Amino acid sequence: MDNIAGSPVEGENFFGRENDVKHLSQILTNDDVLLLGPRRIGKTSIARAVMASVRAQGWRAIEINVASCMDERGFLDKLNTALTPELASISSKIGAAIADGFKAATNRVKSLKVPLPGAGSLGIELGEANAEEWTKVGCDVIQLIGAAEARWLIYVDELPIMLFNIIRADPQAGTQRVRRFLDWFRNDVRAIPGAHSVRWLVSGSVGLDTLVHQHAMADTINSLSHQSLAAFKDELAVEMLLRLSTRYQIPLSETDAQAMVGAVHWAQPYYLQIAFHHLRTLLSERPDTALKELIDEAIDTMVQPGMDNDFHHWEQRLDMQLSRNDAAHARAILKLAAQDPLGAKPETLLAVIESRMPNEPQEDAQRVFINLRDILERDAYWWPDASSGAKRYRFRLEPLRRWWLRRNTL
Ligand SMILES: Nc1ncnc2c1ncn2[C@@H]1O[C@H](COP(=O)(O)OP(=O)(O)OP(=O)(O)O)[C@@H](O)[C@H]1O
Ligand SMILES: [Mg+2]
């Protein structure tokens, strides 16, 4: 197994989540899946493993990443581009008929007009009119592939980013268009003949759940089976580090590996890979230093300027998914929780929000706090730890806590 820290991993390099792959594949037999989680927790890697697993059962599987899509047509374009080679490989007569129908659909996608953002009331009218247009083309495309005699898995990566793009680019009608998109997905697509042979795996690194709650459209994603990726249990994390150390001939003992896992605290494979990467680099620079010393340094290196790209995302996604005020409140309570590896007590955190809302009733501050507390727990910033008596909200990822602290210290 190679020490890869960045790109999705496949084959030999995909470690420790075989059971999750089985579990997701099983769910997909009957349901569509929504896999949400912070950046870098391995969504794309597992989705590709799931694609490989269903292909082995005779399914066809395609992947589209819609992060760069600014509108509905962009989505259909991506779908088309990914489907074209797949359909071309269906050699039967029915395949040829589908491919022909598909060419026609492609032309329709190309000629779709998209709503004009920011065109005032005109934007809303156009938005509605064109929404009908693209939903129809979208349904025809799905119907075509549903007619191919196979089961299909369509993996849509970063859907929430596309939806946020639509909302941001079209302040007038964006929210309405997102609702329409999600409705299309839930209702229109399901009503298509043959739709049962098409399954969807949707994933994203910013909270689609926050988006739909904020705009009161939670109903639109209820039909998806919500899944997440838990961190590795300590033993599995240790096993991964030992496997990496064998590969790179580093004399890491089990105790060292445990220390590393403890220092990362939230044993998602990416952070283990990164920590191991820094350990390797440090060791090659100073081969005579005791590993134990280097482990701590490796963790510290993760949060230094220039090495800390991954942590910025944790800050940015607050702005992406929360209102301006809420994002600022969230930053304030995270700043406090970052002061201590063991976290902060809820009453102290609530007091921070109260002091930021001096002119509003205490219940309002409490409501804001509870809402943010839950979002930050769900999005893996922190967790309620009651192991030492009173409950404290503490950072899940210790390197992130150190980074947060560094970023908030002069
Ligand atoms: N099963 C695994 N075994 C080993 N390493 C893994 C595994 N899953 C993820 N990783 C590590 O995490 C990194 C990121 O994986 P991946 O790209 O799949 O995550 P992601 O959640 O899709 O990230 P992003 O949100 O940036 O798209 C990999 O480069 C690798 O270091
Ligand atoms: Mg990814």
Side-chain angles (χ1 to χ4, degrees), residues 1 3-9 13-17 37-46 65 155 157-158 203-205 229 232 240 269-271 273-274 313:
M1 156 181 202
N3 181 204
I4 299 172
S7 338
V9 290
N13 293 319
F14 181 80
F15 177 87
R17 282 190 167 146
R39 286 212 61 183
R40 298 284 195 234
I41 62 161
K43 300 176 296 295
T44 304
S45 303
I46 199 164
N65 185 315
Y155 163 40
D157 200 5
E158 302 294 9
S203 75
S205 51
L229 287 173
F232 286 176
M240 179 173 145
Y270 177 65
Y271 298 102
Q273 296 257 25
I274 282 273
H313 176 75

Short mmCIF file of all heavy atoms in Angstrom, two decimals, residues 1 3-9 13-17 37-46 65 155 157-158 203-205 229 232 240 269-271 273-274 313, ligand 1:
data_model
loop_
_atom_site.label_atom_id
_atom_site.label_comp_id
_atom_site.label_asym_id
_atom_site.label_seq_id
_atom_site.Cartn_x
_atom_site.Cartn_y
_atom_site.Cartn_z
N MET A 1 0.84 -1.20 0.00
CA MET A 1 0.00 0.00 0.00
C MET A 1 0.88 1.25 0.00
O MET A 1 1.77 1.40 0.82
CB MET A 1 -0.88 -0.06 1.25
CG MET A 1 -1.37 1.25 1.71
SD MET A 1 -2.38 1.11 3.18
CE MET A 1 -3.26 2.63 2.99
N ASN A 3 1.81 5.40 0.19
CA ASN A 3 1.45 6.55 1.02
C ASN A 3 0.92 7.66 0.11
O ASN A 3 1.66 8.53 -0.34
CB ASN A 3 2.72 7.00 1.78
CG ASN A 3 2.49 8.18 2.71
OD1 ASN A 3 3.41 8.91 3.04
ND2 ASN A 3 1.26 8.39 3.16
N ILE A 4 -0.37 7.58 -0.16
CA ILE A 4 -0.99 8.57 -1.05
C ILE A 4 -1.82 9.52 -0.19
O ILE A 4 -2.65 9.07 0.60
CB ILE A 4 -1.92 7.88 -2.07
CG1 ILE A 4 -1.11 6.91 -2.92
CG2 ILE A 4 -2.65 8.90 -2.94
CD1 ILE A 4 -1.94 6.03 -3.81
N ALA A 5 -1.57 10.79 -0.33
CA ALA A 5 -2.35 11.75 0.46
C ALA A 5 -2.85 12.85 -0.46
O ALA A 5 -2.16 13.83 -0.69
CB ALA A 5 -1.50 12.32 1.59
N GLY A 6 -4.00 12.66 -1.00
CA GLY A 6 -4.57 13.68 -1.88
C GLY A 6 -5.55 13.10 -2.89
O GLY A 6 -6.74 13.33 -2.78
N SER A 7 -5.03 12.30 -3.82
CA SER A 7 -5.95 11.77 -4.85
C SER A 7 -6.74 10.59 -4.30
O SER A 7 -6.29 9.91 -3.37
CB SER A 7 -5.17 11.27 -6.06
OG SER A 7 -3.92 11.85 -6.11
N PRO A 8 -7.88 10.33 -4.90
CA PRO A 8 -8.66 9.16 -4.49
C PRO A 8 -7.81 7.89 -4.64
O PRO A 8 -6.98 7.81 -5.54
CB PRO A 8 -9.82 9.14 -5.49
CG PRO A 8 -9.94 10.54 -5.98
CD PRO A 8 -8.56 11.11 -5.96
N VAL A 9 -8.00 6.95 -3.74
CA VAL A 9 -7.22 5.71 -3.79
C VAL A 9 -8.05 4.55 -4.32
O VAL A 9 -9.26 4.50 -4.08
CB VAL A 9 -6.66 5.35 -2.39
CG1 VAL A 9 -5.58 6.33 -1.98
CG2 VAL A 9 -7.76 5.32 -1.34
N ASN A 13 -4.47 0.18 -2.75
CA ASN A 13 -4.29 1.35 -1.88
C ASN A 13 -5.55 1.73 -1.11
O ASN A 13 -5.52 2.60 -0.25
CB ASN A 13 -3.83 2.55 -2.71
CG ASN A 13 -2.46 2.33 -3.27
OD1 ASN A 13 -1.60 1.80 -2.57
ND2 ASN A 13 -2.26 2.69 -4.53
N PHE A 14 -6.64 1.09 -1.46
CA PHE A 14 -7.90 1.34 -0.75
C PHE A 14 -7.91 0.43 0.46
O PHE A 14 -8.02 -0.78 0.36
CB PHE A 14 -9.08 1.06 -1.69
CG PHE A 14 -10.41 1.30 -1.06
CD1 PHE A 14 -10.92 2.59 -0.95
CD2 PHE A 14 -11.18 0.25 -0.56
CE1 PHE A 14 -12.16 2.82 -0.36
CE2 PHE A 14 -12.42 0.48 0.02
CZ PHE A 14 -12.90 1.76 0.13
N PHE A 15 -7.83 1.03 1.63
CA PHE A 15 -7.63 0.25 2.84
C PHE A 15 -8.84 0.31 3.79
O PHE A 15 -9.44 1.38 3.98
CB PHE A 15 -6.38 0.78 3.58
CG PHE A 15 -6.10 0.08 4.88
CD1 PHE A 15 -5.33 -1.07 4.91
CD2 PHE A 15 -6.60 0.59 6.08
CE1 PHE A 15 -5.07 -1.72 6.11
CE2 PHE A 15 -6.36 -0.06 7.29
CZ PHE A 15 -5.58 -1.23 7.30
N GLY A 16 -9.18 -0.84 4.34
CA GLY A 16 -10.00 -0.88 5.55
C GLY A 16 -11.49 -0.57 5.45
O GLY A 16 -12.16 -0.57 6.48
N ARG A 17 -11.99 -0.30 4.27
CA ARG A 17 -13.42 0.03 4.22
C ARG A 17 -14.22 -0.97 3.38
O ARG A 17 -15.27 -0.63 2.83
CB ARG A 17 -13.62 1.46 3.69
CG ARG A 17 -13.32 2.49 4.78
CD ARG A 17 -13.71 3.88 4.41
NE ARG A 17 -13.67 4.74 5.58
CZ ARG A 17 -13.33 6.02 5.55
NH1 ARG A 17 -13.01 6.60 4.40
NH2 ARG A 17 -13.34 6.74 6.67
N GLY A 37 -20.07 14.31 3.77
CA GLY A 37 -18.99 14.30 4.76
C GLY A 37 -17.98 15.35 4.40
O GLY A 37 -17.91 15.77 3.26
N PRO A 38 -17.18 15.78 5.38
CA PRO A 38 -16.19 16.81 5.13
C PRO A 38 -15.22 16.39 4.02
O PRO A 38 -15.16 15.22 3.66
CB PRO A 38 -15.43 16.90 6.44
CG PRO A 38 -16.24 16.20 7.45
CD PRO A 38 -17.14 15.26 6.75
N ARG A 39 -14.46 17.35 3.54
CA ARG A 39 -13.49 17.05 2.50
C ARG A 39 -12.51 16.01 2.99
O ARG A 39 -12.19 15.93 4.17
CB ARG A 39 -12.72 18.32 2.11
CG ARG A 39 -13.58 19.23 1.30
CD ARG A 39 -12.76 20.00 0.32
NE ARG A 39 -12.08 19.10 -0.61
CZ ARG A 39 -11.25 19.52 -1.55
NH1 ARG A 39 -10.97 20.79 -1.66
NH2 ARG A 39 -10.68 18.66 -2.36
N ARG A 40 -12.05 15.21 2.03
CA ARG A 40 -10.93 14.30 2.27
C ARG A 40 -11.23 13.11 3.16
O ARG A 40 -10.31 12.47 3.64
CB ARG A 40 -9.75 15.06 2.92
CG ARG A 40 -9.20 16.17 2.07
CD ARG A 40 -8.38 15.56 0.98
NE ARG A 40 -7.53 16.52 0.33
CZ ARG A 40 -7.51 16.71 -0.98
NH1 ARG A 40 -8.34 16.03 -1.75
NH2 ARG A 40 -6.68 17.56 -1.52
N ILE A 41 -12.52 12.83 3.40
CA ILE A 41 -12.71 11.65 4.26
C ILE A 41 -12.83 10.37 3.44
O ILE A 41 -13.08 9.30 3.99
CB ILE A 41 -13.89 11.78 5.24
CG1 ILE A 41 -15.20 11.94 4.49
CG2 ILE A 41 -13.69 12.88 6.25
CD1 ILE A 41 -16.38 11.61 5.39
N GLY A 42 -12.66 10.50 2.14
CA GLY A 42 -12.61 9.27 1.33
C GLY A 42 -13.89 8.97 0.57
O GLY A 42 -14.16 7.82 0.23
N LYS A 43 -14.68 9.99 0.27
CA LYS A 43 -15.96 9.77 -0.42
C LYS A 43 -15.75 9.23 -1.84
O LYS A 43 -16.35 8.25 -2.24
CB LYS A 43 -16.77 11.07 -0.48
CG LYS A 43 -17.09 11.65 0.89
CD LYS A 43 -17.81 12.98 0.80
CE LYS A 43 -16.99 14.09 0.18
NZ LYS A 43 -15.78 14.50 0.94
N THR A 44 -14.87 9.92 -2.59
CA THR A 44 -14.66 9.49 -3.97
C THR A 44 -14.05 8.09 -4.02
O THR A 44 -14.46 7.26 -4.83
CB THR A 44 -13.76 10.51 -4.71
OG1 THR A 44 -14.38 11.79 -4.60
CG2 THR A 44 -13.61 10.16 -6.17
N SER A 45 -13.09 7.84 -3.13
CA SER A 45 -12.46 6.52 -3.12
C SER A 45 -13.50 5.43 -2.88
O SER A 45 -13.53 4.42 -3.59
CB SER A 45 -11.40 6.44 -2.03
OG SER A 45 -10.43 7.44 -2.20
N ILE A 46 -14.35 5.65 -1.89
CA ILE A 46 -15.32 4.57 -1.60
C ILE A 46 -16.36 4.48 -2.71
O ILE A 46 -16.78 3.39 -3.09
CB ILE A 46 -15.96 4.71 -0.20
CG1 ILE A 46 -16.54 3.35 0.18
CG2 ILE A 46 -17.04 5.77 -0.14
CD1 ILE A 46 -16.86 3.19 1.63
N ASN A 65 -18.70 14.59 -11.85
CA ASN A 65 -18.41 15.54 -10.79
C ASN A 65 -19.01 16.88 -11.22
O ASN A 65 -18.63 17.43 -12.24
CB ASN A 65 -16.90 15.66 -10.59
CG ASN A 65 -16.57 16.57 -9.41
OD1 ASN A 65 -17.16 17.65 -9.26
ND2 ASN A 65 -15.66 16.15 -8.57
N TYR A 155 -23.04 7.91 -10.24
CA TYR A 155 -22.41 8.53 -9.07
C TYR A 155 -22.23 10.02 -9.36
O TYR A 155 -21.52 10.41 -10.27
CB TYR A 155 -21.07 7.82 -8.81
CG TYR A 155 -20.11 8.57 -7.91
CD1 TYR A 155 -20.56 9.25 -6.77
CD2 TYR A 155 -18.74 8.57 -8.17
CE1 TYR A 155 -19.68 9.93 -5.96
CE2 TYR A 155 -17.85 9.25 -7.35
CZ TYR A 155 -18.33 9.94 -6.25
OH TYR A 155 -17.45 10.62 -5.45
N ASP A 157 -20.88 13.37 -7.92
CA ASP A 157 -20.03 13.90 -6.85
C ASP A 157 -20.21 15.42 -6.75
O ASP A 157 -20.33 16.09 -7.77
CB ASP A 157 -18.57 13.56 -7.18
CG ASP A 157 -17.67 13.63 -5.94
OD1 ASP A 157 -18.19 13.84 -4.84
OD2 ASP A 157 -16.44 13.46 -6.09
N GLU A 158 -20.22 15.92 -5.53
CA GLU A 158 -20.27 17.37 -5.25
C GLU A 158 -21.57 18.05 -5.70
O GLU A 158 -21.55 19.22 -6.10
CB GLU A 158 -19.05 18.10 -5.84
CG GLU A 158 -17.70 17.60 -5.35
CD GLU A 158 -17.43 17.86 -3.87
OE1 GLU A 158 -18.36 18.27 -3.14
OE2 GLU A 158 -16.30 17.62 -3.42
N SER A 203 -22.88 12.44 -3.67
CA SER A 203 -22.02 12.77 -2.54
C SER A 203 -21.64 14.23 -2.55
O SER A 203 -21.80 14.93 -3.55
CB SER A 203 -20.78 11.88 -2.51
OG SER A 203 -19.87 12.29 -3.50
N GLY A 204 -21.14 14.69 -1.41
CA GLY A 204 -20.78 16.10 -1.33
C GLY A 204 -20.04 16.42 -0.06
O GLY A 204 -20.17 15.72 0.94
N SER A 205 -19.27 17.49 -0.13
CA SER A 205 -18.47 17.85 1.03
C SER A 205 -18.99 19.09 1.74
O SER A 205 -18.43 19.51 2.75
CB SER A 205 -17.01 18.07 0.62
OG SER A 205 -16.95 18.95 -0.47
N LEU A 229 -19.21 8.42 6.53
CA LEU A 229 -18.03 7.56 6.67
C LEU A 229 -17.40 7.79 8.03
O LEU A 229 -16.84 8.86 8.29
CB LEU A 229 -17.01 7.88 5.57
CG LEU A 229 -17.38 7.40 4.17
CD1 LEU A 229 -16.37 7.93 3.16
CD2 LEU A 229 -17.41 5.88 4.13
N PHE A 232 -11.70 5.46 11.33
CA PHE A 232 -11.26 4.09 11.64
C PHE A 232 -11.23 3.90 13.15
O PHE A 232 -10.90 4.82 13.90
CB PHE A 232 -9.85 3.85 11.10
CG PHE A 232 -9.77 3.68 9.61
CD1 PHE A 232 -8.53 3.54 9.00
CD2 PHE A 232 -10.91 3.65 8.82
CE1 PHE A 232 -8.43 3.38 7.62
CE2 PHE A 232 -10.82 3.49 7.44
CZ PHE A 232 -9.57 3.36 6.84
N MET A 240 -3.17 0.25 9.66
CA MET A 240 -2.85 0.98 8.43
C MET A 240 -1.45 1.60 8.52
O MET A 240 -0.67 1.51 7.57
CB MET A 240 -3.91 2.05 8.18
CG MET A 240 -3.62 2.85 6.93
SD MET A 240 -4.98 3.97 6.52
CE MET A 240 -4.04 5.33 5.86
N PRO A 269 -8.62 8.06 7.32
CA PRO A 269 -7.38 7.62 6.68
C PRO A 269 -6.53 8.75 6.11
O PRO A 269 -5.31 8.69 6.13
CB PRO A 269 -7.86 6.67 5.57
CG PRO A 269 -9.33 6.86 5.45
CD PRO A 269 -9.80 7.39 6.76
N TYR A 270 -7.16 9.80 5.61
CA TYR A 270 -6.39 10.89 5.01
C TYR A 270 -5.40 11.50 6.00
O TYR A 270 -4.24 11.76 5.69
CB TYR A 270 -7.33 11.97 4.48
CG TYR A 270 -6.58 13.15 3.91
CD1 TYR A 270 -5.79 13.01 2.78
CD2 TYR A 270 -6.65 14.40 4.51
CE1 TYR A 270 -5.08 14.08 2.26
CE2 TYR A 270 -5.95 15.48 3.99
CZ TYR A 270 -5.17 15.31 2.87
OH TYR A 270 -4.47 16.37 2.36
N TYR A 271 -5.89 11.74 7.21
CA TYR A 271 -5.03 12.41 8.19
C TYR A 271 -3.92 11.48 8.66
O TYR A 271 -2.83 11.93 9.03
CB TYR A 271 -5.88 12.98 9.33
CG TYR A 271 -6.84 14.02 8.79
CD1 TYR A 271 -8.17 13.72 8.58
CD2 TYR A 271 -6.36 15.26 8.39
CE1 TYR A 271 -9.04 14.66 8.00
CE2 TYR A 271 -7.21 16.19 7.80
CZ TYR A 271 -8.54 15.89 7.62
OH TYR A 271 -9.38 16.80 7.04
N GLN A 273 -2.56 9.30 6.60
CA GLN A 273 -1.63 9.33 5.45
C GLN A 273 -0.76 10.59 5.49
O GLN A 273 0.45 10.53 5.27
CB GLN A 273 -2.42 9.35 4.14
CG GLN A 273 -3.26 8.11 3.89
CD GLN A 273 -2.63 7.16 2.88
OE1 GLN A 273 -1.42 7.16 2.69
NE2 GLN A 273 -3.45 6.34 2.24
N ILE A 274 -1.38 11.71 5.79
CA ILE A 274 -0.64 12.97 5.84
C ILE A 274 0.40 12.95 6.97
O ILE A 274 1.55 13.31 6.78
CB ILE A 274 -1.62 14.15 6.11
CG1 ILE A 274 -2.36 14.51 4.85
CG2 ILE A 274 -0.95 15.34 6.68
CD1 ILE A 274 -1.60 15.52 4.01
N HIS A 313 -10.48 24.65 4.21
CA HIS A 313 -11.82 24.26 3.78
C HIS A 313 -12.81 24.22 4.94
O HIS A 313 -13.99 24.55 4.79
CB HIS A 313 -11.77 22.90 3.09
CG HIS A 313 -13.10 22.37 2.70
ND1 HIS A 313 -13.80 22.88 1.62
CD2 HIS A 313 -13.90 21.44 3.25
CE1 HIS A 313 -14.95 22.25 1.53
NE2 HIS A 313 -15.04 21.38 2.50
N1 LIG B 1 -9.86 3.65 2.11
C1 LIG B 1 -8.77 4.42 2.14
N2 LIG B 1 -7.55 3.89 2.34
C2 LIG B 1 -6.45 4.66 2.40
N3 LIG B 1 -6.47 5.99 2.25
C3 LIG B 1 -7.64 6.58 2.04
C4 LIG B 1 -8.85 5.83 1.96
N4 LIG B 1 -9.87 6.69 1.75
C5 LIG B 1 -9.31 7.91 1.69
N5 LIG B 1 -7.99 7.86 1.85
C6 LIG B 1 -7.08 9.03 1.92
O1 LIG B 1 -7.86 10.20 1.77
C7 LIG B 1 -7.45 10.93 0.61
C8 LIG B 1 -8.69 11.55 -0.03
O2 LIG B 1 -9.56 10.55 -0.51
P1 LIG B 1 -10.82 10.94 -1.45
O3 LIG B 1 -10.36 11.79 -2.56
O4 LIG B 1 -11.50 9.66 -1.76
O5 LIG B 1 -11.67 11.78 -0.41
P2 LIG B 1 -12.91 12.75 -0.72
O6 LIG B 1 -13.76 12.71 0.50
O7 LIG B 1 -13.51 12.41 -2.02
O8 LIG B 1 -12.14 14.15 -0.82
P3 LIG B 1 -12.68 15.53 -1.47
O9 LIG B 1 -13.74 16.03 -0.57
O10 LIG B 1 -11.44 16.37 -1.45
O11 LIG B 1 -13.16 15.21 -2.85
C9 LIG B 1 -6.69 9.94 -0.24
O12 LIG B 1 -5.70 10.58 -1.03
C10 LIG B 1 -6.05 9.08 0.82
O13 LIG B 1 -4.94 9.74 1.36
#
